[in-house]
Amino acid sequence: MISVRNLWKVFGSNPEAIIGSPDAALTRQELRAKTGNTIAVRDVSFDVAPGEVFVVMGLSGSGKSTLVRCMTRLIEPTQGELRFEDEDILKVDEKRLRELRKTRFSMVFQHFGLLPHRKVIDNVAYSLEINGVGKSERHARANEVIDLVGLQGYAQAYPEQLSGGMQQRVGLARALAVDPQVLFLDEPFSALDPLIRRDMQTEVIRLHHQLGKTMVFITHDLAEAVKLGDRIAIMRDGAIVQIGTPEELVAQPADDYVANFVRDFPKSHILTLRWIARKPQPGEDLNGPILAPSITVRNATRQIIESSLPIRVMENGNLLGVVTAVEVLHLISGQD
């Protein structure tokens, strides 16, 4: 659905001259000292499939928020290609861009941006109002999405009467009101208390399962990325270091930077038996219980430890390998 190719964003004077020059290889500090320019997004390429939750994560200043703003042209990229269903978004005129923002894309930000003088129903219906939808029709649609995000009974409330989590639900409802094809969520829950944040993460998962929307989700929190993402892109200094499923990032980090990111994440919670299964040894008894490769190590640990025989990991009748308590203990203790 979305294809990003060789996307750059350079802030400063004559930014195009930086791309392709020796200066592009300088660190951010070196480039700023030499030219006064800053590379916020550096030669980024990736695809997002229809219905996928694609998470972009990184530390503060890594370029993730600039990237998502470039994808909607809230910030104009310096160079590159951004295609949405084979249409190059960077080449469309202002009229077409406004149309896309009104009907195809919706954004949810960290700061809710609700209109304090408008009731919930009118905040939710605002995107429809600027699209020229009549009051009765837009209120009918607003009530649908208000119910969808769990705000039944609050349509006539004002934002100040709602908790932070409820206000962010209003933000989600407003984004969903136009029935967009893609939702861009830029650290939408980072200002919320931990328990409310967890509830909102669960809400996003529920909405995704129910609606199947394509989502690009920005976060600096690995646990949030793992919980929500089908795939995760990790950024550093404007560049993407690695893209992969949560399992791939935890099991096969591309470098020390990614390894440090995932170091403290409990591997048994995310890795499946597929990743720790080994080849049977000669003469090993292969009459033990059978488990699917998609089961997490955490959920299989008790059965593995209690079994006197190696667990057979099988898929479509094929033996992928075996797992014993030794492999589980190696994983949990951090041994190779």
Side-chain angles (χ1 to χ4, degrees), residues 36-306:
N37 293 61
T38 298
I39 299 177
V41 177
R42 182 189 299 268
D43 198 19
V44 165
S45 298
F46 60 88
D47 295 315
V48 181
E52 181 177 23
V53 179
F54 187 85
V55 174
V56 182
M57 68 167 297
L59 301 176
S60 179
S62 62
K64 57 189 185 297
S65 289
T66 302
L67 172 61
V68 75
R69 283 165 169 77
C70 285
M71 293 177 70
T72 54
R73 283 182 60 185
L74 292 175
I75 294 176
E76 289 291 345
T78 305
Q79 185 174 296
E81 184 178 277
L82 172 61
R83 304 192 75 85
F84 172 72
E85 293 187 331
D86 291 329
E87 182 176 17
D88 192 341
I89 304 303
L90 303 187
K91 293 181 179 179
V92 302
D93 59 22
E94 287 295 326
K95 180 180 179 181
R96 175 59 177 160
L97 183 58
R98 286 194 298 269
E99 181 184 344
L100 289 169
R101 288 173 178 166
K102 288 180 178 180
T103 61
R104 304 292 187 88
F105 307 147
S106 283
M107 289 201 69
V108 181
F109 297 98
Q110 174 182 343
H111 303 291
F112 315 133
L114 303 182
L115 302 172
H117 62 288
R118 290 193 170 204
K119 296 178 180 180
V120 165
I121 190 167
D122 291 311
N123 267 283
V124 173
Y126 181 70
S127 56
L128 298 170
E129 181 180 345
I130 62 175
N131 283 352
V133 178
K135 185 175 181 178
S136 60
E137 185 179 348
R138 66 177 183 258
H139 274 196
R141 173 59 180 166
N143 278 315
E144 287 179 8
V145 290
I146 285 171
D147 290 348
L148 183 66
V149 302
L151 286 174
Q152 298 91 335
Y154 289 95
Q156 300 303 315
Y158 286 93
E160 65 178 12
Q161 299 173 301
L162 306 179
S163 67
M166 293 172 73
Q167 288 184 35
Q168 194 58 293
R169 287 175 188 263
V170 177
L172 274 174
R174 182 178 57 192
L176 291 168
V178 295
D179 195 22
Q181 291 176 274
V182 182
L183 275 174
F184 294 95
L185 303 102
D186 187 9
E187 300 203 58
F189 310 140
S190 60
L192 301 178
D193 293 336
L195 290 178
I196 298 175
R197 182 172 185 165
R198 185 175 63 189
D199 289 343
M200 290 306 299
Q201 292 166 357
T202 302
E203 185 70 9
V204 167
I205 293 171
R206 182 186 69 80
L207 288 171
H208 181 253
H209 287 164
Q210 186 169 343
L211 302 175
K213 297 292 184 185
T214 303
M215 298 184 183
V216 178
F217 194 103
I218 308 300
T219 184
H220 63 269
D221 186 313
L222 178 63
E224 184 168 74
V226 167
K227 183 175 182 179
L228 297 177
D230 296 312
R231 286 187 303 145
I232 301 169
I234 295 184
M235 293 189 71
R236 177 182 58 191
D237 294 334
I240 289 182
V241 181
Q242 184 175 358
I243 298 176
T245 66
E247 285 183 87
E248 290 167 344
L249 296 182
V250 170
Q252 299 174 329
D255 60 13
D256 291 341
Y257 180 77
V258 179
N260 190 52
F261 245 116
V262 303
R263 180 182 58 194
D264 296 327
F265 195 86
K267 293 183 177 180
S268 63
H269 290 207
I270 187 64
L271 292 186
T272 60
L273 298 184
R274 184 188 303 276
W275 288 94
I276 68 168
R278 59 168 174 80
K279 292 182 178 180
Q281 298 173 358
E284 196 166 16
D285 193 330
L286 298 181
N287 292 303
I290 296 174
L291 290 178
S294 58
I295 299 175
T296 63
V297 175
R298 179 189 186 188
N299 290 334
T301 295
R302 168 172 282 187
Q303 188 169 351
I304 293 170
I305 291 176
E306 291 179 350

